[in-house]
Structure formats: C-alpha cells, structure tokens
Amino acid sequence: MATETSTQSYSEKWYWDERYTNESEPFDWYQKYSSLAPLINLYVPHRNQRVLVIGCGNSAFSEGMVDDGYDDVVNIDISSVVIDTMIKKYSDRPQLKYLKMDVRDMKAFEDASFDAVIDKGTLDSILCGSNSRQYSTQMLEEVWRVLKDKGVYILITYGAPIYRLRLLKESCSWTTKLHVIDKSLTDQPLETPKWELTKPLPLNADGSSVESAIGKSPDVHYIYVCIKDESLKMEADAA
C-alpha cells in the first residue's frame, strides 16, 4: 500500500525519472491493451485514426495497439528517461512515436489534431499532487484542445463518478459515457464480469445511478469515454 508521501510523488517528474532509471520491465497501470481492446475498437474504429497516449511510461499498451493494426500512435511522458528508452526500444516501429512533453502544456500539437486521447492513470497521478485541481483542469483543457470535434478522451481510472464527473463537467464541454472493467481482469476475462465492457452504464448527473447498476464499492476500474462536442461549448459560451 502506497504511503501518502509516495502517492503525492506520482505528480512529480523526479519521481518518474528515478523510477524509470531503476525499472526496465514494461509496466501497465490498471489494465493491459488486450483487456481494453474491445472498448478501444468500439470508440476508435478506424485503424488509421490518430491516437495520443498521455503519460505513456514504459507501458506495452501502445505496442498492443499497433499490433492490432493502429498505424499512428503518438506517446508522451514527462520523464525524459523513459522517453529515451522507448524511442530506442521501438526504433523499428514507425507507427509509434515518443515525445517528452508535459500534458498540461502540449503546444507542440496543433488544435484538433487527434481523433482519440487515451489516459491510463495520468489524471489520477496529477490528482495525487499539490495544486491538483488547477493542474488537472489545465490538462483536461489541453486534451480537449488537441482533440478533433467528436474526438474521444478515454480515461481509465480508479475514480468513481462521484469524484470524476464533476471535474470532467467543469473543465470542458464533453458528452460522457461510462464503462467499467473488473480490476481482477488479467489476460483472460472473468466468466461473469460485473458489467459487460462495451455496454455503457446508466449515468445520471451525479453518477448515483451507477451504484444501482453495479452495487456499492465495486471492484472495478472506471472508463470515462468523453466525446468532444464543440456545439455544447458554443451553447455554454452563449448562455
């Protein structure tokens, strides 16, 4: 169990540089690509769509995407140590690009330049640190900016709707769907998952409907599929 101090470190660049200097084996936060592939395929149906993976670390997730046919997967991380390692590791895979970048400031990317952004633990890491509300809002605004209209931000998190919906709603104009996947999932699906992965849960304004569907304190990871909707932003700006 992480201590409070070490959990706070998840938002710090020095922590990740140090960790990746000493850790060479690939590590995937929360879920592997094979577990999430049906959902990724559902919301990113075309293999030529441009995908951004934020806070990629040394995960094999993007390699899994390319093995599945996706041909333009851009990966960013705040740690130069891990980015240097991944550039060398995948020098023979032109479909995979690795860049050192802070997700709160992605000015190297033009507006509306990605079809999908995938986040497996990066927002969670920022929320562990100081100035978490400010930094998470900066991050979400940047994610919204680089997405094309109707592009998807797929957030895989331990954060239940009561903790995440308001943050998403207050940051940008999204149409949000919620999916869940059992935490205990490895490479083999459970015979009876708590909820079918590709079926959105009923979602009301405060997320209380989720408890009715899957019970209290379910052992799941939450997957928020946030669809950028510029028409909602225009309505909000006009109001």
Side-chain angles (χ1 to χ4, degrees), residues 80-161:
S80 54
V81 172
V82 80
I83 289 297
D84 289 346
T85 300
M86 298 302 266
I87 287 171
K88 288 179 191 135
K89 180 174 181 178
Y90 292 114
S91 58
D92 61 339
R93 305 292 292 269
Q95 307 93 327
L96 287 169
K97 299 167 191 71
Y98 285 88
L99 301 164
K100 179 191 176 294
M101 200 177 295
D102 186 331
V103 71
R104 297 167 300 170
D105 179 10
M106 299 190 285
K107 59 178 172 284
F109 298 139
E110 293 180 6
D111 295 0
S113 52
F114 289 95
D115 297 287
V117 175
I118 297 174
D119 173 0
K120 210 152 54 78
T122 298
L123 180 64
D124 289 355
S125 293
I126 288 174
L127 290 172
C128 287
S130 55
N131 300 318
S132 61
R133 194 58 190 256
Q134 176 193 345
Y135 291 159
S136 60
T137 299
Q138 287 173 347
M139 176 198 133
L140 290 167
E141 287 175 349
E142 276 290 81
V143 167
W144 198 90
R145 182 186 66 78
V146 303
L147 274 173
K148 296 175 183 176
D149 191 32
K150 303 301 185 285
V152 291
Y153 168 47
I154 301 175
L155 167 65
I156 299 103
T157 172
Y158 61 77

Side-chain angles (χ1 to χ4, degrees), residues 231-239:
S231 65
L232 288 176
K233 184 176 189 300
M234 285 188 278
E235 285 171 21
D237 290 346

Side-chain angles (χ1 to χ4, degrees), residues 154-175:
I154 301 175
L155 167 65
I156 299 103
T157 172
Y158 61 77
I162 192 170
Y163 302 112
R164 293 290 180 270
L165 275 182
R166 187 175 168 190
L167 177 63
L168 291 166
K169 196 173 290 182
E170 290 180 357
S171 66
C172 303
S173 303
W174 307 106
T175 299

